[in-house]
Amino acid sequence: MKFDIVIGDITKFKADAIVNAANRTLLGGGGVDGAIHRAAGPELLAECETLGGCATGEAKITGGYRLPASFVIHTPGPVYRSYKPEEAARLLRNCYVNSLKIAEERGLKTVGFASISTGIYAFPLNDAARIVAETFRDFASQAASVERATMVCFDEKTADAYRRAFAALEN
Ligand code: AR6
Protein backbone atom coordinates (compact mmCIF):
# COMPACT_ATOMS: atom_id res chain seq x y z
CA MET A 1 0.00 0.00 0.00
CA LYS A 2 1.35 3.38 -1.03
CA PHE A 3 0.16 6.63 0.46
CA ASP A 4 0.11 10.15 -0.87
CA ILE A 5 -1.47 13.57 -0.57
CA VAL A 6 -3.56 15.67 -2.94
CA ILE A 7 -5.23 19.05 -2.52
CA GLY A 8 -8.83 19.13 -3.60
CA ASP A 9 -12.50 18.55 -2.95
CA ILE A 10 -13.05 14.96 -1.83
CA THR A 11 -16.55 14.96 -3.35
CA LYS A 12 -14.83 15.08 -6.77
CA PHE A 13 -12.20 12.47 -5.93
CA LYS A 14 -12.21 9.33 -8.06
CA ALA A 15 -11.46 6.26 -5.96
CA ASP A 16 -13.09 3.00 -4.97
CA ALA A 17 -14.03 4.66 -1.67
CA ILE A 18 -13.74 7.99 0.08
CA VAL A 19 -13.66 8.26 3.88
CA ASN A 20 -16.04 10.75 5.48
CA ALA A 21 -15.33 12.63 8.72
CA ALA A 22 -18.75 11.78 10.11
CA ASN A 23 -20.42 12.09 13.51
CA ARG A 24 -21.86 9.24 15.57
CA THR A 25 -25.38 9.65 14.17
CA LEU A 26 -24.12 9.12 10.58
CA LEU A 27 -26.97 11.41 9.56
CA GLY A 28 -24.87 14.20 8.07
CA GLY A 29 -23.64 17.50 9.43
CA GLY A 30 -21.39 20.39 8.41
CA GLY A 31 -17.86 20.37 7.00
CA VAL A 32 -16.84 17.59 4.67
CA ASP A 33 -19.74 15.43 5.89
CA GLY A 34 -22.27 18.01 4.64
CA ALA A 35 -20.44 18.35 1.33
CA ILE A 36 -20.40 14.57 0.79
CA HIS A 37 -24.12 14.24 1.55
CA ARG A 38 -24.98 17.14 -0.78
CA ALA A 39 -22.92 15.69 -3.61
CA ALA A 40 -24.05 12.08 -3.13
CA GLY A 41 -27.76 12.95 -3.00
CA PRO A 42 -30.59 11.92 -0.67
CA GLU A 43 -30.07 8.20 -1.28
CA LEU A 44 -26.95 8.41 0.89
CA LEU A 45 -28.88 9.73 3.89
CA ALA A 46 -31.55 7.06 3.33
CA GLU A 47 -28.91 4.32 3.54
CA CYS A 48 -27.22 5.96 6.53
CA GLU A 49 -30.56 5.98 8.36
CA THR A 50 -30.53 2.17 8.28
CA LEU A 51 -27.12 1.88 9.99
CA GLY A 52 -28.01 2.83 13.58
CA GLY A 53 -25.10 5.26 14.02
CA CYS A 54 -21.45 4.42 14.65
CA ALA A 55 -19.14 4.62 17.66
CA THR A 56 -16.17 6.98 17.68
CA GLY A 57 -13.20 5.33 15.97
CA GLU A 58 -15.35 2.67 14.26
CA ALA A 59 -16.37 2.79 10.58
CA LYS A 60 -19.31 1.79 8.38
CA ILE A 61 -19.60 1.62 4.58
CA THR A 62 -22.36 2.76 2.20
CA GLY A 63 -22.75 3.26 -1.52
CA GLY A 64 -21.40 6.41 -3.13
CA TYR A 65 -24.55 7.17 -5.17
CA ARG A 66 -23.94 10.35 -7.22
CA LEU A 67 -20.28 10.62 -6.16
CA PRO A 68 -17.45 9.54 -8.46
CA ALA A 69 -16.39 7.18 -5.63
CA SER A 70 -18.17 3.81 -5.57
CA PHE A 71 -18.39 3.70 -1.77
CA VAL A 72 -18.29 6.02 1.23
CA ILE A 73 -16.71 4.80 4.46
CA HIS A 74 -18.07 6.85 7.36
CA THR A 75 -15.96 7.22 10.50
CA PRO A 76 -16.68 9.50 13.45
CA GLY A 77 -13.42 10.92 14.74
CA PRO A 78 -12.89 12.03 18.34
CA VAL A 79 -13.93 15.49 19.49
CA TYR A 80 -10.44 16.42 20.68
CA ARG A 81 -11.40 18.15 23.92
CA SER A 82 -13.67 15.31 25.05
CA TYR A 83 -10.73 12.97 25.76
CA LYS A 84 -7.28 12.87 27.25
CA PRO A 85 -4.77 13.43 24.42
CA GLU A 86 -3.59 9.78 24.43
CA GLU A 87 -7.17 8.52 24.20
CA ALA A 88 -8.00 10.98 21.41
CA ALA A 89 -4.89 9.74 19.55
CA ARG A 90 -5.94 6.09 19.99
CA LEU A 91 -9.44 6.83 18.69
CA LEU A 92 -8.11 8.77 15.68
CA ARG A 93 -5.81 5.88 14.82
CA ASN A 94 -8.78 3.51 15.06
CA CYS A 95 -10.67 5.64 12.51
CA TYR A 96 -7.97 5.06 9.91
CA VAL A 97 -7.31 1.40 10.77
CA ASN A 98 -11.01 0.46 10.80
CA SER A 99 -11.65 2.32 7.53
CA LEU A 100 -8.74 0.48 5.90
CA LYS A 101 -9.99 -2.84 7.28
CA ILE A 102 -13.40 -2.31 5.68
CA ALA A 103 -11.74 -1.41 2.39
CA GLU A 104 -9.72 -4.63 2.62
CA GLU A 105 -12.82 -6.70 3.40
CA ARG A 106 -14.47 -5.33 0.24
CA GLY A 107 -11.36 -5.84 -1.87
CA LEU A 108 -11.04 -2.13 -2.68
CA LYS A 109 -7.86 -0.78 -4.24
CA THR A 110 -7.98 3.00 -3.85
CA VAL A 111 -9.20 4.99 -0.84
CA GLY A 112 -9.29 8.77 -0.40
CA PHE A 113 -9.38 10.08 3.17
CA ALA A 114 -10.67 13.39 4.48
CA SER A 115 -8.54 14.79 7.30
CA ILE A 116 -10.56 13.23 10.12
CA SER A 117 -11.19 15.35 13.26
CA THR A 118 -8.95 18.29 12.28
CA GLY A 119 -11.83 20.66 11.41
CA ILE A 120 -14.84 21.15 13.68
CA TYR A 121 -13.54 18.46 16.09
CA ALA A 122 -10.32 20.49 16.58
CA PHE A 123 -7.72 17.72 16.74
CA PRO A 124 -4.31 19.50 16.49
CA LEU A 125 -3.33 19.17 12.84
CA ASN A 126 0.34 18.27 13.21
CA ASP A 127 -0.42 15.61 15.83
CA ALA A 128 -3.15 14.15 13.62
CA ALA A 129 -0.82 14.09 10.61
CA ARG A 130 1.87 12.20 12.56
CA ILE A 131 -0.68 9.65 13.76
CA VAL A 132 -1.96 9.13 10.21
CA ALA A 133 1.57 8.76 8.79
CA GLU A 134 2.46 6.11 11.40
CA THR A 135 -0.85 4.31 10.93
CA PHE A 136 -0.47 4.13 7.13
CA ARG A 137 3.13 2.94 7.48
CA ASP A 138 2.11 0.23 9.96
CA PHE A 139 -0.90 -0.88 7.91
CA ALA A 140 1.02 -0.98 4.63
CA SER A 141 2.70 -4.31 5.41
CA GLN A 142 -0.62 -6.09 6.04
CA ALA A 143 -2.60 -4.53 3.17
CA ALA A 144 -3.57 -7.03 0.48
CA SER A 145 -6.13 -5.28 -1.70
CA VAL A 146 -5.63 -1.59 -0.90
CA GLU A 147 -2.92 -0.28 -3.22
CA ARG A 148 -3.19 3.42 -2.48
CA ALA A 149 -4.42 5.53 0.44
CA THR A 150 -4.65 9.23 -0.39
CA MET A 151 -5.13 12.14 2.01
CA VAL A 152 -7.47 14.51 0.15
CA CYS A 153 -6.73 17.86 1.77
CA PHE A 154 -8.98 20.85 1.31
CA ASP A 155 -6.28 23.47 1.81
CA GLU A 156 -2.54 23.98 1.53
CA LYS A 157 -1.98 24.18 5.30
CA THR A 158 -3.51 20.74 5.81
CA ALA A 159 -1.61 19.24 2.89
CA ASP A 160 1.64 20.69 4.21
CA ALA A 161 1.13 19.09 7.63
CA TYR A 162 0.62 15.66 6.03
CA ARG A 163 3.56 16.20 3.65
CA ARG A 164 5.87 16.92 6.57
CA ALA A 165 4.56 13.98 8.61
CA PHE A 166 4.94 11.54 5.70
CA ALA A 167 8.43 12.87 4.95
CA ALA A 168 9.43 12.47 8.61
CA LEU A 169 8.78 8.72 8.36
CA GLU A 170 11.53 8.42 5.77
CA ASN A 171 14.17 9.97 8.03
N1 AR6 B 1 -13.13 17.97 0.60
C1 AR6 B 1 -12.05 17.64 1.36
N2 AR6 B 1 -11.88 18.09 2.62
C2 AR6 B 1 -12.82 18.92 3.11
C3 AR6 B 1 -13.98 19.32 2.39
C4 AR6 B 1 -14.10 18.80 1.06
N3 AR6 B 1 -15.15 19.08 0.29
N4 AR6 B 1 -14.71 20.16 3.18
C5 AR6 B 1 -14.03 20.29 4.35
N5 AR6 B 1 -12.90 19.56 4.31
P1 AR6 B 1 -14.57 18.61 9.34
P2 AR6 B 1 -14.22 16.89 11.73
C6 AR6 B 1 -11.86 19.38 5.32
O1 AR6 B 1 -14.90 19.77 10.22
O2 AR6 B 1 -13.24 17.83 12.34
C7 AR6 B 1 -19.36 17.55 10.69
O3 AR6 B 1 -20.40 18.39 11.09
C8 AR6 B 1 -11.69 20.43 6.38
O4 AR6 B 1 -11.00 21.57 5.86
O5 AR6 B 1 -15.42 18.37 8.15
O6 AR6 B 1 -13.93 15.42 11.77
C9 AR6 B 1 -19.61 16.09 11.06
O7 AR6 B 1 -20.98 15.75 10.91
C10 AR6 B 1 -10.86 19.67 7.42
O8 AR6 B 1 -9.47 19.68 7.02
O9 AR6 B 1 -14.55 17.21 10.18
C11 AR6 B 1 -19.16 16.06 12.48
O10 AR6 B 1 -20.17 16.53 13.35
C12 AR6 B 1 -11.37 18.24 7.28
O11 AR6 B 1 -12.13 18.21 6.06
C13 AR6 B 1 -17.99 17.01 12.50
O12 AR6 B 1 -18.19 17.91 11.41
C14 AR6 B 1 -12.24 17.77 8.41
O13 AR6 B 1 -13.05 18.82 8.89
C15 AR6 B 1 -16.68 16.28 12.25
O14 AR6 B 1 -15.61 17.16 12.46
Side-chain angles (χ1 to χ4, degrees):
M1 183 182 96
K2 296 189 170 147
F3 40 95
D4 61 2
I5 298 151
V6 299
I7 297 181
D9 180 349
I10 200 166
T11 67
K12 307 246 163 43
F13 191 69
K14 292 190 182 70
D16 294 333
I18 58 170
V19 180
N20 179 20
N23 60 59
R24 285 178 298 188
T25 71
L26 300 185
L27 300 180
V32 70
D33 193 10
I36 288 171
H37 274 271
R38 278 194 298 280
E43 298 90 346
L44 178 61
L45 180 59
E47 184 175 358
C48 285
E49 283 171 346
T50 69
L51 298 178
C54 185
T56 300
E58 301 296 314
K60 292 189 178 178
I61 190 166
T62 66
Y65 300 97
R66 298 175 205 178
L67 294 167
S70 305
F71 297 95
V72 181
I73 297 170
H74 306 263
T75 186
V79 176
Y80 187 69
R81 287 184 194 84
S82 298
Y83 302 93
K84 290 181 178 163
E86 314 80 63
E87 179 64 2
R90 190 185 70 80
L91 290 166
L92 187 67
R93 183 175 190 284
N94 285 353
C95 287
Y96 286 86
V97 169
N98 288 320
S99 296
L100 286 165
K101 281 184 178 166
I102 289 185
E104 284 283 323
E105 282 161 21
R106 297 292 182 109
L108 306 183
K109 292 184 177 171
T110 54
V111 184
F113 286 81
S115 177
I116 311 296
S117 277
T118 68
I120 295 163
Y121 283 178
F123 203 109
L125 179 59
N126 290 331
D127 294 343
R130 183 177 39 75
I131 291 163
V132 174
E134 290 170 2
T135 304
F136 282 175
R137 177 198 59 197
D138 294 348
F139 196 87
S141 56
Q142 70 183 81
S145 77
V146 178
E147 295 171 356
R148 184 173 293 275
T150 302
M151 290 306 302
V152 184
C153 301
F154 209 38
D155 53 52
E156 185 60 48
K157 181 182 163 219
T158 303
D160 198 50
Y162 285 96
R163 264 186 222 119
R164 279 184 282 111
F166 287 6
L169 288 181
E170 289 154 18
N171 297 328

